[in-house]
Amino acid sequence: DIQMTQSPSSLSASVGDRVTITCRASQSISSYLNWYQQKPGKAPKLLIYAASSLQSGVPSRFSGSGSGTDFTLTISSLQPEDFATYYCQQSYSTPRITFGPGTKVDIK
Amino acid sequence: QVQLVQSGAEVKKPGASVKVSCKASGYTFTSYYMHWVRQAPGQGLEWMGIINPSGGSTSYAQKFQGRVTMTRDTSTSTVYMELSSLRSEDTAVYYCARTSPSGSSAFDIWGQGTMVTVSS
């Protein structure tokens, strides 16, 4: 199975900060990388698919980049509603999907 | 609107089975594969398997092979996930999630989650 890692595992940031989360795959997954946001007690929400495509309805402060094994999720200006846990997910080996361990973003 | 509505919370004893339902609405049920994902308390997301609502074919994560069965009922636009031989480690929130029509195999619509508690 393809293993996914994320860094950092957690971070503290302030409203207005630029935040970057990194995801790495154990082998090349081309651009088959998706990002989700999850708030406590809620289901995950799709933010970015195919590494860099913004899901409909998601604010443009969210962006994704990368291909191969290294990927990045960037929040250009952190808003109060963005404090959450973020997961990357590879869909290269569909149907055998794997998720990263998550990155928790909390308030500094 | 497009939505997935799951069945309610369950409490089961070790060794029992649980069957969780996920009813789809607002789109053509047979057009999009459905996945099941679980999340143990305070932990990350774990993919369990996938079902094709059209033909009923399935593929399961190796970890759950032999214990999980995914089925569907096209007459009610509902998919089911049954997990048997439950143990305490199966205590988790179970989600169904639809494969996005974008072609990326991302999960664009999620159910609200079903809490399954395994306790003696």
Side-chain angles (χ1 to χ4, degrees):
Chain A
D1 287 359
I2 298 174
Q3 307 302 317
M4 308 299 294
T5 58
Q6 288 182 234
S7 60
S9 56
S10 65
L11 67 90
S12 296
S14 301
V15 172
D17 284 353
R18 182 182 182 87
V19 169
T20 299
I21 298 169
T22 297
C23 176
R24 176 165 290 173
S26 60
Q27 66 182 74
S28 177
I29 57 171
S30 185
S31 295
Y32 290 89
L33 192 284
N34 312 303
W35 290 98
Y36 299 85
Q37 176 194 66
Q38 187 180 34
K39 297 180 179 179
K42 299 295 186 181
K45 172 186 174 182
L46 178 63
L47 298 176
I48 302 285
Y49 64 92
S52 60
S53 296
L54 193 67
Q55 175 69 359
S56 176
V58 174
S60 59
R61 63 181 179 273
F62 291 93
S63 64
S65 64
S67 66
T69 59
D70 295 316
F71 302 86
T72 299
L73 173 70
T74 300
I75 309 172
S76 61
S77 178
L78 197 67
Q79 297 301 300
E81 60 269 30
D82 300 337
F83 292 97
T85 300
Y86 293 84
Y87 294 93
C88 63
Q89 174 211 43
Q90 68 80 19
S91 53
Y92 178 81
S93 61
T94 294
R96 301 197 177 278
I97 303 290
T98 47
F99 291 91
T103 295
K104 184 176 182 180
V105 176
D106 61 22
I107 302 172
K108 181 184 286 185
Chain B
Q1 74 280 23
V2 176
Q3 62 178 352
L4 301 174
V5 178
Q6 299 184 221
S7 49
E10 303 263 13
V11 179
K12 296 292 183 181
K13 294 193 182 301
S17 297
V18 68
K19 191 171 186 177
V20 179
S21 68
C22 168
K23 183 174 176 59
S25 61
Y27 71 96
T28 302
F29 174 69
T30 52
S31 293
Y32 303 98
Y33 285 60
M34 199 80 79
H35 297 258
W36 287 91
V37 175
R38 78 176 186 180
Q39 185 171 38
Q43 302 302 307
L45 301 168
E46 181 175 33
W47 180 78
M48 298 182 68
I50 183 175
I51 182 168
N52 177 356
S54 179
S57 61
T58 57
S59 179
Y60 305 135
Q62 188 164 7
K63 176 176 180 176
F64 301 102
Q65 288 275 5
R67 279 210 305 145
V68 70
T69 304
M70 296 177 187
T71 56
R72 95 290 189 216
D73 182 343
T74 56
S75 69
T76 60
S77 299
T78 302
V79 295
Y80 300 90
M81 187 284 300
E82 183 170 22
L83 189 62
S84 62
S85 302
L86 290 169
R87 36 212 188 225
S88 59
E89 310 89 88
D90 294 318
T91 293
V93 177
Y94 290 76
Y95 294 102
C96 57
R98 187 187 81 161
T99 302
S100 166
S102 70
S104 64
S105 296
F107 302 169
D108 67 334
I109 306 294
W110 293 66
Q112 83 275 20
T114 297
M115 182 70 212
V116 175
T117 302
V118 183
S119 174
S120 55

